[in-house]
Amino acid sequence: MSVRTQSSEQSAEAVHRAGFACFVGRPNAGKSTLTNALVGQKVAITANQPQTTRHTVRGIVHRPDAQLILVDTPGLHKPRTLLGERLNDVVRTTWAEVDVIGFCLPANEKIGPGDRFIAKELAGIRKTPKVAIVTKTDLVDSKTLAEQLIAIDQLGRELGIEWAEIVPVSAVGAKQVDLLADLLVPLLPEGPALYPEGDLTDEPEQVMIAELIREAALEGVRDELPHSIAVVVEEMLPREDRPADRPLLDIHANVYIERPSQKGIIIGPKGKRLKEVGIKSRKHIEALLGTPVFLDLHVKVAKDWQRDPKQLRKLGF
């Protein structure tokens, strides 16, 4: 049995560790899903389109022996726009500041140029320990998994990366997720907890709410839209004249797209799609805040915002 299950007197004498880990990998390599599985609550948005994570979302894993703070970065990719370049800068800055890096590689896809691009960047970061995490193991058989593990070991040798661990996990099937936490913890520095017990993320609520709306808006939308959607929560106000036992929070948010032609896609025929986005995201927002919510959504055009520094700033990038 591990020491953690023993009496609190003993664990009080045991070393406590606290530090930051970040997951890197190609867009859609399973980083956000893994963050959510480790924290046990939905803190990073997950959607099937690449490039859904724009903000560094920290998920916090509280354990008797450690506090593991997960920094979820956007996927590193070859940038095509100013936004793309800024996202890549965010990634590199994050890597330099964390205590351990988890490199996510999906079990169901062979190592490709995108993975090599990231691995080369990682090889340049000498001091930080690196753990290779094989994600989505529920989608492959044991032979395919074994081949992927060998390929990752090989990739490390080729580029001079010494993996601290190579761990297969399935966040969806909750397989080996706890083991991954057990392996990351010893790589953290010794020290007291950095966040109060009970905190799951240090993202401001408004940013998280915007992300939940954005996730709902991305679902089922054709491939040309993912990069073009930004959401800004304009205001959150408790509804006046409500009885104490029946509070209601009014949230007003704008969904920004780049071109007028995209407006119809988001709103849908007779506003049906936007209504669905509202219903879906409201459910998650209420779960996050623990209070009933009235959500007021508006779709606005911010022309070519991804290429315009002024608009990027306004939309929080």
Side-chain angles (χ1 to χ4, degrees):
M1 288 294 277
S2 69
V3 186
R4 290 198 319 284
T5 55
Q6 295 176 4
S7 75
S8 54
E9 286 82 24
Q10 265 180 285
S11 59
E13 288 160 28
V15 174
H16 187 278
R17 295 179 182 273
F20 294 85
C22 83
F23 295 144
V24 303
R26 277 185 292 116
N28 215 13
K31 302 180 294 290
S32 295
T33 310
L34 191 55
T35 299
N36 294 338
L38 278 161
V39 177
Q41 255 207 26
K42 195 172 173 110
V43 291
I45 75 162
T46 53
N48 299 342
Q49 286 93 343
Q51 279 319 107
T52 45
T53 310
R54 291 258 177 86
H55 297 275
T56 303
V57 177
R58 293 177 173 78
I60 303 165
V61 183
H62 299 273
R63 296 165 42 130
D65 60 337
Q67 191 176 70
L68 173 66
I69 298 135
L70 302 168
V71 186
D72 190 33
T73 58
L76 191 79
H77 61 297
K78 292 208 162 80
R80 289 192 300 271
T81 61
L82 178 61
L83 173 66
E85 281 170 36
R86 288 210 184 158
L87 291 174
N88 278 359
D89 290 342
V90 168
V91 177
R92 291 194 189 94
T93 315
T94 305
W95 292 3
E97 291 168 355
V98 296
D99 302 299
V100 55
I101 297 171
F103 182 19
C104 295
L105 297 121
N108 63 331
E109 294 173 40
K110 284 196 155 53
I111 292 173
D115 301 310
R116 287 183 171 278
F117 174 68
I118 294 169
K120 280 188 183 133
E121 293 266 341
L122 283 179
I125 296 171
R126 288 271 171 238
K127 289 193 181 120
T128 318
K130 296 157 202 76
V131 174
I133 305 166
V134 186
T135 58
K136 309 187 184 185
T137 57
D138 52 303
L139 300 179
V140 298
D141 57 24
S142 51
K143 182 174 174 284
T144 310
L145 179 57
E147 285 166 3
Q148 187 71 321
L149 293 170
I150 292 164
I152 289 167
D153 184 52
Q154 196 60 45
L155 178 70
R157 285 170 205 271
E158 244 173 76
L159 298 173
I161 299 171
E162 197 177 318
W163 303 119
E165 305 279 353
I166 299 179
V167 198
V169 301
S170 164
V172 174
K175 281 205 180 84
Q176 305 236 91
V177 173
D178 289 341
L179 172 70
L180 174 63
D182 291 343
L183 295 171
L184 291 173
V185 163
L187 301 170
L188 303 176
E190 292 180 18
L194 302 167
Y195 287 87
E197 184 83 46
D199 279 15
L200 293 174
T201 174
D202 75 346
E203 277 284 18
E205 279 174 351
Q206 268 167 275
V207 172
M208 290 185 73
I209 288 164
E211 288 286 80
L212 289 169
I213 295 167
R214 190 163 168 267
E215 176 182 22
L218 279 173
E219 236 163 79
V221 168
R222 290 207 300 278
D223 295 343
E224 67 266 27
L225 242 64
H227 297 283
S228 308
I229 298 175
V231 177
V232 177
V233 173
E234 297 295 338
E235 59 176 10
M236 289 166 51
L237 298 164
R239 179 83 57 94
E240 286 179 21
D241 307 327
R242 294 283 292 193
D245 58 342
R246 288 182 50 234
L248 184 68
L249 189 66
D250 287 319
I251 298 177
H252 302 279
N254 289 330
V255 179
Y256 288 97
I257 44 179
E258 292 197 291
R259 292 187 295 283
S261 60
Q262 297 170 334
K263 215 167 172 173
I265 301 174
I266 291 287
I267 293 171
K270 294 187 177 163
K272 189 165 170 262
R273 208 156 175 281
L274 189 63
K275 194 176 171 190
E276 280 166 13
V277 170
I279 291 167
K280 191 155 202 159
S281 54
R282 196 185 74 225
K283 215 163 64 191
H284 288 309
I285 294 165
E286 290 183 338
L288 172 75
L289 302 177
T291 179
V293 159
F294 172 79
L295 184 58
D296 177 37
L297 288 181
H298 293 274
V299 180
K300 299 195 167 187
V301 179
K303 203 167 163 352
D304 292 331
W305 63 263
Q306 290 190 66
R307 289 177 164 70
D308 178 348
K310 212 156 79 199
Q311 303 240 45
L312 279 171
R313 269 199 305 281
K314 187 183 151 201
L315 298 173
F317 300 109

